[in-house]
Amino acid sequence: MSTPLTGLPTLQVDWQTLLTVNLPALMLVVIGVPLVLAAYIVGADILVRRLPKRSQVSVRPWVWVGPAIVIVGVILVYPMFGTIFRSLFDRHGSTFVGLGNFTRLLTDGGILIVLRNNLLWLLLYPGLVLIFGLLLAVLADRVPYEKPVKSLIFMPLAISFVAMAIIWQFMYYYRPPDVAQTGTLNAIVVNLFHGQPQTWVQDTRYNNFALIFIGVWGATGFAMVILSAALKGIPGELLEAARVDGANELTVFRRIILPLMMPTIVVVGTTMVIFALKAFDVVYVMTAGNYNTDILARRMYAELYSAGNNANASTLAVILLLAVVPVLIFNLRQFRAVESRR
């Protein structure tokens, strides 16, 4: 319904539901949750104090960690095993098919394109983020206006991936050659290089690279900040001694800076690998998986909510899980190794 004067939609408010259902529920959450939390803390502490002193030391950590373990188990571990179990049945969930879903999907041409695209994300996204992040960290460390530069580069990280994708839709926007180009990239191609405008998002020759670059643009600031902190941890006396001994800047970087920063680079790199495996928003907003740009996470979403095929969605989720878990374990070990050296 629209008002005759402004054409704006009229806001319909169900006051009865708002006052009798929504408002009491909100008050219950706002007041009830802190009360339950406070009661648990006080009650648990009283109970622990009544135990023998030897037992208090071993019981107290579990009292505080226990609720978190239960919550993680309910919202993460239980759905994970449920998804694995569901992937072994047909789309109706009534017939056990074993690994049949995996065999069928992994031999499907469409899924092979999806896996190829995920491989591109895995190789290019972490690699380019690390290269640009390291380069910018080193360069920003040498200029007097380091903080403003880092703030500008870090700024895209504060934007959601959906917003990034919308911004880059304007950057990649295509118009026919006989009209003025309003997309930034095509305006540069036509006006500066006198070339033909390109359909950056639709052309299968480079649309995956165009999408990956959006992710790289968003994550480079994160890598730069972490790597810059590691760079500043290198003793200045060590670098000066190398320069006094005749080493040029390239040698100092290759022989001193890079080896000392390598543990941090590995941690950032593996984190980016996990981000690459979880990529979803950019592809969903830019192409919805069309033009051979689909990836595992978006295909899983489409199988679940568009096709209603729980078997395929669960199978793709398990494939994604199997790809993420080894990287996650490696990342945790590297993080602990870095912490132990400090």
Side-chain angles (χ1 to χ4, degrees), residues 237-284:
E237 298 82 3
L238 187 62
L239 303 178
E240 286 302 320
R243 292 182 182 115
V244 169
D245 288 342
N248 58 32
E249 291 302 317
L250 185 60
T251 305
V252 169
F253 179 78
R254 285 194 305 111
R255 300 293 179 87
I256 299 176
I257 294 177
L258 201 56
L260 290 176
M261 289 181 66
M262 192 52 70
T264 307
I265 291 173
V266 171
V267 171
V268 174
T270 49
T271 304
M272 291 300 115
V273 168
I274 295 172
F275 284 1
L277 287 169
K278 295 195 306 179
F280 171 82
D281 319 59
V282 171
V283 174
Y284 181 78

Side-chain angles (χ1 to χ4, degrees), residues 2-302:
S2 301
T3 59
L5 294 179
T6 63
L8 296 175
T10 304
L11 180 62
Q12 300 288 345
V13 179
D14 184 353
W15 289 103
Q16 185 176 0
T17 304
L18 181 65
L19 294 175
T20 58
V21 178
N22 296 342
L23 190 59
L26 177 64
M27 296 299 293
L28 182 65
V29 171
V30 171
I31 299 174
V33 171
L35 281 178
V36 170
L37 186 61
Y40 176 79
I41 293 172
V42 174
D45 192 62
I46 291 173
L47 290 176
V48 171
R49 285 176 185 275
R50 291 186 177 181
L51 295 173
K53 286 197 176 293
R54 290 182 180 176
S55 302
Q56 288 183 19
V57 178
S58 58
V59 170
R60 192 181 295 278
W62 290 105
V63 169
W64 306 127
V65 176
I69 293 176
V70 171
I71 292 172
V72 169
V74 170
I75 66 174
L76 284 180
V77 178
Y78 172 69
M80 180 185 73
F81 283 107
T83 304
I84 295 172
F85 182 74
R86 185 66 183 80
S87 68
L88 303 177
F89 287 80
D90 68 349
R91 65 179 301 165
H92 304 295
S94 56
T95 305
F96 181 77
V97 296
L99 298 177
N101 291 326
F102 293 90
T103 306
R104 179 170 48 79
L105 284 177
L106 292 176
T107 54
D108 179 81
I111 295 297
L112 292 180
I113 292 176
V114 169
L115 293 175
R116 182 207 65 183
N117 294 340
N118 266 92
L119 188 61
L120 280 177
W121 276 84
L122 275 175
L123 293 175
L124 295 179
Y125 178 74
L128 292 176
V129 168
L130 280 177
I131 290 172
F132 288 134
L134 184 60
L135 183 65
L136 291 170
V138 173
L139 293 177
D141 189 57
R142 295 165 182 258
V143 296
Y145 37 87
E146 177 185 356
K147 289 183 179 177
V149 168
K150 284 184 176 176
S151 299
L152 285 173
I153 298 170
F154 188 78
M155 196 174 292
L157 192 67
I159 305 173
S160 72
F161 275 100
V162 173
M164 280 184 208
I166 293 172
I167 291 171
W168 279 87
Q169 278 182 345
F170 292 108
M171 297 289 288
Y172 292 143
Y173 191 68
Y174 169 83
R175 300 190 74 193
D178 56 340
V179 297
Q181 298 297 318
T182 55
T184 306
L185 213 55
N186 274 329
I188 293 173
V189 169
V190 172
N191 299 319
L192 196 61
F193 297 101
H194 305 292
Q196 292 295 314
Q198 303 295 318
T199 51
W200 301 102
V201 177
Q202 290 82 16
D203 195 319
T204 55
R205 290 175 298 174
Y206 35 68
N207 54 4
N208 279 296
F209 303 108
L211 299 184
I212 292 170
F213 187 78
I214 298 173
V216 172
W217 179 74
T220 296
F222 169 78
M224 179 200 65
V225 169
I226 304 296
L227 295 174
S228 178
L231 180 63
K232 291 187 181 301
I234 298 175
E237 298 82 3
L238 187 62
L239 303 178
E240 286 302 320
R243 292 182 182 115
V244 169
D245 288 342
N248 58 32
E249 291 302 317
L250 185 60
T251 305
V252 169
F253 179 78
R254 285 194 305 111
R255 300 293 179 87
I256 299 176
I257 294 177
L258 201 56
L260 290 176
M261 289 181 66
M262 192 52 70
T264 307
I265 291 173
V266 171
V267 171
V268 174
T270 49
T271 304
M272 291 300 115
V273 168
I274 295 172
F275 284 1
L277 287 169
K278 295 195 306 179
F280 171 82
D281 319 59
V282 171
V283 174
Y284 181 78
V285 175
M286 295 291 287
T287 64
N290 295 311
Y291 316 115
N292 286 346
T293 60
D294 210 358
I295 52 179
L296 276 174
R298 201 221 66 86
R299 185 61 176 265
M300 180 185 68
Y301 175 87

